[in-house]
Amino acid sequence: MIARKMKRNLILYSLSALTGIMLWSCKAPQLAADEKIILPDTYADGHLPTDTATLAMLSWESFFPDTILQGYIREALSNNHSFRQTVERVRQAQSQMKQGRQAMFPQLSAGLSAGIQRFGEYTMDGVGNATTNTPDLEADKHIPDPYKDLNLGILFQWEADIWGKLNHKRQAAAARWMASAEAAQYARTLLIAEVASQYFELIGLDKQQDILKGAIGNTEASYRLTYELKQEGEVTQLAVDQFQSRLLNLKGLLLETEQLTEEKERALATLMGRLPFEVKRIGFEEMRRLTFPVQTGIPAQLLAYRPDIRSAEWDLLAAKADLKAARKAFFPSLTIGAEGGFNAFNVSKWFTAPASLVYNLAAGLSAPIFNRHELKLLWNMAKGDQRIALSRYHETALKAYEEVSNLVTAHERLTLRSELKEEESQTHNRSIENAKELFQLSFVGYLEVLSADERYLDCELERIRLNTSKCINQVHLYRALGGGIYKAEGEEDDDGDEDEKGK
């Protein structure tokens, strides 16, 4: 009785230990303290945020107030071919992750086999079968010649994950799927930013065309006036040639701007997955009046909202799980197998139970001996992969902080430069009007008029570029903070099963 009790306790302790090992192996890998990233409290502007509100918490529909642009972004997210390919790769990774999860469970298969064989009379099998068929043996148990073998059964095989090796492989597969999902989110934010940038650049090019057309009209008037004055002998042919040269240069700039506009329209259509079409857009002054949210939050939030940082983190966790699995490969593995079913040489006796019932049960414990060197190489490679993933994770986070800091300071500088350029444009506008009047009264020469025209045109083109860049900078800041990961209302979910992500 004491021996039976000790045996029962030993079984219970063994089961408890096995359960504890399996529960421990099911824990998700975590970053160590020395692997985590500590970002500064502020960005490059040095101002400590008063709250943790960030643009990343807004959907793209809430961030962009232009309804025309919203329609283009929605169409691009639905039809852009590169993005759809990325989404499909995420779904493939999800299927691979589910496939890897099946290794944790027993393999169960059913089989049906039939065969016929004749043994030679002067062989061991032939003589043995002949001597077995004795008269005292029941007739239905005589071995037929030729011999038929009919088998129907179920095969069971399972590798017990006593060290957690299979669980670590499952964790690595799940982490890589999450990394691919985050990479798809990053591709999504890049696509949104690219569509908005192309759209605002088109608006800026429209305004440049208007300015160049106006400059061409003014230069033509100055050219005609100079030509008339030359006929009267008040100016030389040099003045006429200078205005004609400027007129030709402006027409060339207009052709170049029109070409850039057409290319941008085709590029925007390609982003939307369709052939070129007439791109509708708001005017330049309306774009200038657009207001965007400016909350940057704190740098630490980049770790939570930037998809590329989160993707790098999941890659690091996958590398850590791979390293643990490579380490556990040195340990013995326990394999349990069983097979059962019906076996007979006569179909009529096939399902006779228990006479035709067969089964076997086996368990094996194996440990690597001659391939330990190969396992050690794989382990060293896994350690190298983990160091690379850790370095890439830190590099991605540092570059993200640098990018946001540059965009924050650029926003402030662009705002100030735009205000200065507006004032400069008004000054040049007055000077060009004064130069024309004084030229007609012969108080100044044609060079003053020409110089005033050139400075005004350069100022206007720069003013357009600054205002366009200010809008595009806001788009890039929204993307750099992690904006665009939240879907707009009514937008379809193309990134996979959210429940699987939670698991």
Side-chain angles (χ1 to χ4, degrees):
M1 181 175 181
I2 296 176
R4 189 183 302 115
K5 184 176 182 181
M6 291 178 62
K7 184 178 180 180
R8 184 173 63 252
N9 290 340
L10 180 60
I11 295 175
L12 290 176
Y13 292 151
S14 300
L15 290 175
S16 300
L18 180 60
T19 304
I21 290 174
M22 296 186 66
L23 289 176
W24 172 81
S25 65
C26 290
K27 293 181 180 178
Q30 300 293 330
L31 293 182
D34 57 342
E35 294 174 338
K36 295 181 179 179
I37 300 174
I38 305 299
L39 294 178
D41 295 331
T42 63
Y43 291 107
D45 57 357
H47 299 297
L48 187 65
T50 57
D51 56 49
T52 57
T54 171
L55 302 180
M57 301 171 65
L58 299 176
S59 68
W60 58 263
E61 194 175 47
S62 301
F63 180 78
F64 295 105
D66 185 358
T67 55
I68 299 178
L69 176 58
Q70 289 177 5
Y72 292 155
I73 292 175
R74 188 176 290 105
E75 186 172 354
L77 291 175
S78 299
N79 301 332
N80 182 266
H81 295 291
S82 296
F83 182 62
R84 296 193 69 84
Q85 293 169 23
T86 302
V87 172
E88 289 302 324
R89 282 191 287 270
V90 173
R91 290 173 176 166
Q92 289 178 344
Q94 182 183 11
S95 299
Q96 292 173 358
M97 183 268 296
K98 292 180 178 179
Q99 182 180 7
R101 186 189 300 170
Q102 300 304 316
M104 299 287 297
F105 301 101
Q107 297 180 7
L108 187 65
S109 59
L112 173 65
S113 62
I116 185 171
Q117 186 176 6
R118 184 184 184 281
F119 301 105
E121 295 181 2
Y122 299 97
T123 63
M124 181 177 64
D125 292 325
V127 174
N129 292 342
T131 57
T132 300
N133 295 334
T134 58
D136 58 335
L137 184 67
E138 298 178 13
D140 58 356
K141 292 184 179 180
H142 284 194
I143 300 175
D145 185 19
Y147 171 73
K148 299 176 183 179
D149 186 18
L150 306 174
N151 185 58
L152 174 65
I154 297 177
L155 178 64
F156 168 87
Q157 191 171 6
W158 177 52
E159 180 180 352
D161 194 21
I162 55 178
W163 310 113
K165 179 183 65 175
L166 298 179
N167 184 60
H168 290 314
K169 290 183 177 180
R170 180 190 64 82
Q171 290 175 353
R176 286 195 170 86
W177 170 61
M178 289 299 298
S180 66
E182 295 295 348
Q185 286 283 28
Y186 188 56
R188 169 191 172 86
T189 62
L190 290 176
L191 176 60
I192 293 172
E194 183 65 19
V195 171
S197 298
Q198 297 277 11
Y199 179 78
F200 290 134
E201 285 182 11
L202 271 175
I203 297 174
L205 289 172
D206 289 342
K207 185 62 176 178
Q208 287 186 33
Q209 289 188 46
D210 294 339
I211 294 297
L212 287 172
K213 289 177 181 178
I216 289 174
N218 292 333
T219 305
E220 287 178 341
S222 298
Y223 169 74
R224 289 193 297 268
L225 176 61
T226 307
Y227 182 80
E228 293 174 359
L229 293 176
K230 187 256 181 183
Q231 297 296 329
E232 297 174 2
E234 297 185 13
V235 297
T236 63
Q237 181 64 35
L238 178 61
V240 178
D241 292 341
Q242 290 286 340
F243 280 104
Q244 185 179 15
S245 175
R246 175 167 174 76
L247 180 60
L248 295 174
N249 180 62
L250 291 174
K251 289 182 178 180
L253 290 176
L254 178 60
L255 290 174
E256 180 183 2
T257 305
E258 290 174 346
Q259 175 66 23
L260 289 175
T261 302
E262 294 173 359
E263 291 176 357
K264 290 291 181 184
E265 288 179 334
R266 287 191 286 268
L268 184 59
T270 301
L271 288 175
M272 297 165 60
R274 56 188 294 192
L275 294 173
F277 65 101
E278 182 181 356
V279 180
K280 297 181 180 180
R281 46 199 182 262
I282 60 176
F284 179 77
E285 295 302 323
E286 189 176 355
M287 183 187 73
R288 283 185 58 214
R289 293 191 295 268
L290 291 177
T291 56
F292 299 95
V294 294
Q295 297 90 347
T296 58
I298 58 177
Q301 290 175 306
L302 291 177
L303 304 179
Y305 289 106
R306 281 274 299 221
D308 55 337
I309 297 179
R310 294 193 298 182
S311 178
E313 181 180 359
W314 280 112
D315 282 333
L316 175 57
L317 293 175
K320 288 169 66 70
D322 280 337
L323 180 59
K324 293 179 180 179
R327 181 71 181 90
K328 301 295 177 59
F330 291 95
F331 301 162
S333 59
L334 175 62
T335 304
I336 300 174
E339 184 177 5
F342 296 95
N343 183 232
F345 50 69
N346 192 325
V347 177
S348 62
K349 304 295 184 180
W350 203 359
F351 296 104
T352 302
S356 297
L357 183 65
V358 295
Y359 66 88
N360 64 69
L361 178 65
L365 190 66
S366 61
I369 297 178
F370 295 105
N371 62 336
R372 288 184 67 87
H373 180 66
E374 180 182 355
L375 294 177
K376 187 175 181 180
L377 293 177
L378 295 175
W379 184 42
N380 290 331
M381 291 177 60
K383 289 193 293 185
D385 290 339
Q386 180 181 347
R387 288 191 291 267
I388 293 173
L390 177 60
S391 178
R392 186 183 296 118
Y393 173 55
H394 283 260
E395 180 185 25
T396 304
L398 291 176
K399 286 186 176 180
Y401 174 77
E402 176 192 4
E403 182 182 19
V404 175
S405 297
N406 291 339
L407 291 170
V408 169
T409 55
H411 172 68
E412 297 177 354
R413 301 295 190 278
L414 285 171
T415 302
L416 294 175
R417 289 175 61 190
S418 298
E419 294 174 355
L420 293 174
K421 194 59 66 173
E422 291 291 338
E423 187 176 353
E424 181 185 350
S425 177
Q426 296 175 5
T427 303
H428 281 304
N429 192 31
R430 289 196 304 268
S431 67
I432 197 172
E433 295 296 330
N434 293 333
K436 288 179 180 179
E437 293 180 2
L438 293 174
F439 177 67
Q440 291 176 352
L441 297 174
S442 301
F443 285 110
V444 297
Y446 70 92
L447 291 177
E448 283 80 358
V449 177
L450 192 61
S451 177
D453 281 340
E454 291 177 347
R455 289 196 299 270
Y456 175 71
L457 177 62
D458 292 341
C459 178
E460 280 295 286
L461 294 178
E462 181 64 18
R463 182 179 71 90
I464 295 170
R465 283 192 289 268
L466 284 174
N467 282 277
T468 304
S469 298
K470 188 169 68 171
C471 288
I472 295 176
N473 184 83
Q474 286 294 99
V475 173
H476 289 320
L477 180 60
Y478 175 65
R479 188 261 312 156
L481 290 170
I485 60 176
Y486 293 106
K487 293 177 172 58
E489 185 177 355
E491 185 179 350
E492 294 183 359
D493 184 5
D494 293 329
D495 298 337
D497 190 352
E498 295 294 334
D499 295 336
E500 290 293 338
K501 293 182 182 180
K503 295 179 182 177

